[in-house]
Amino acid sequence: MWLKDSSIGRKFVMSLTGLALVLFLIFHGCMNLAVVFSEEAYNMICHLLGANWYALIGTLGLAFLVLVHFCYALYLTIQNRAARGNDRYAVTGKKEGVDWESENMLVLGFCVLGFLCLHLYNFWFKMQFAEVTGIETGAFDPQNGAAYVKALFTEPVWGQVYCVLYLIWLCALWFHLNHGVWSALHTLGWNNLVWMKRIKVIGCIVATLAVLPFAIVVLYYLGMGIGMLCAA
């Protein structure tokens, strides 16, 4: 089957799964942004997307997409390194036209995956999992997600540490998406002379749209937490 046996097929799968995950990130980021403007609206969204059958199916689907995307990325990287052989040990300057993120996509991917585990622990495990199973996970009220988000990010000292960690994660995610979106569109056929530079701009815009809502939320609570520390 060419989707798994050929390099083009594997890149095609990576492109489709990656773009699907980007669309989810944009949706998820816009959903999270609601907490800055209205805690009631955010709690309503959390309730709508909480312990419901469609939300659980969506969660399993997302987990499958992440697993497929990561496994294909790892396999392609190993395959490419094996194909280069001893050439990868040669000391050379930076290749012309090759972006830094292009050469470090796997490293960026591991950074994103590592912080994703922290994100899932802080939010999915302590909120949706607690709501589905009824098991106490240490969160506040699973029905009041806004209060939990505020408590996590404004907690003295540790709240600021979390904010900084999330901002580092978002930087790594931006670089990963900036190249990833361009690469995906290139793989899917937008690789002629007219569209080559355009899809680089599109990749930058899409990466920013995916990351910016999360960054706004973190910076909002970082400022609030610092203000609370100064007032104490």
Side-chain angles (χ1 to χ4, degrees):
M1 186 177 179
W2 73 276
L3 287 177
K4 70 179 182 65
D5 295 333
S6 72
S7 177
I8 294 176
R10 288 188 286 270
K11 289 180 179 179
F12 184 77
V13 172
M14 272 196 66
S15 299
L16 289 182
T17 55
L19 290 175
L21 290 169
V22 169
L23 290 175
F24 169 75
L25 278 174
I26 294 175
F27 163 76
H28 189 42
C30 291
M31 181 198 79
N32 284 358
L33 192 58
V35 75
V36 173
F37 303 100
S38 171
E39 293 186 357
E40 292 77 13
Y42 179 77
N43 287 334
M44 182 180 68
I45 294 171
C46 288
H47 179 71
L48 181 65
L49 300 175
N52 303 296
W53 64 268
Y54 47 84
L56 296 177
I57 291 175
T59 300
L60 292 174
L62 285 168
F64 175 75
L65 287 175
V66 170
L67 180 63
V68 171
H69 188 76
F70 177 77
C71 289
Y72 270 68
L74 188 61
Y75 184 68
L76 277 169
T77 301
I78 293 173
Q79 186 184 46
N80 290 339
R81 292 197 175 192
R84 288 201 302 269
N86 292 329
D87 290 344
R88 67 182 184 274
Y89 298 109
V91 179
T92 59
K94 178 178 172 61
K95 296 180 181 178
E96 186 177 352
V98 178
D99 296 327
W100 174 83
E101 55 262 43
S102 173
E103 296 182 324
N104 295 278
M105 282 296 280
L106 188 64
V107 175
L108 289 170
F110 273 113
C111 290
V112 171
L113 189 64
F115 280 108
L116 178 62
C117 293
L118 175 65
H119 182 72
L120 289 173
Y121 171 74
N122 279 335
F123 294 102
W124 177 81
F125 176 69
K126 291 192 173 184
M127 293 176 69
Q128 189 180 60
F129 180 82
E131 189 178 357
V132 171
T133 62
I135 298 174
E136 176 60 45
T137 58
F140 287 59
D141 181 3
Q143 300 296 326
N144 192 354
Y148 172 63
V149 174
K150 180 179 179 180
L152 179 70
F153 286 127
T154 60
E155 180 185 7
V157 182
W158 276 110
Q160 285 70 60
V161 171
Y162 271 128
C163 287
V164 172
L165 288 176
Y166 270 91
L167 290 173
I168 293 172
W169 172 47
L170 291 173
C171 287
L173 181 61
W174 187 90
F175 280 109
H176 189 77
L177 296 180
N178 182 47
H179 177 74
V181 172
W182 173 85
S183 180
L185 295 177
H186 182 276
T187 298
L188 295 176
W190 289 14
N191 53 5
N192 56 56
L193 294 176
V194 175
W195 277 97
M196 239 358 197
K197 292 184 178 179
R198 292 179 182 178
I199 61 176
K200 280 185 174 290
V201 176
I202 292 172
C204 181
I205 293 172
V206 172
T208 303
L209 289 175
V211 168
L212 187 59
F214 293 100
I216 291 174
V217 173
V218 174
L219 289 172
Y220 172 75
Y221 283 114
L222 177 61
M224 184 185 295
I226 293 174
M228 292 168 64
L229 281 176
C230 293

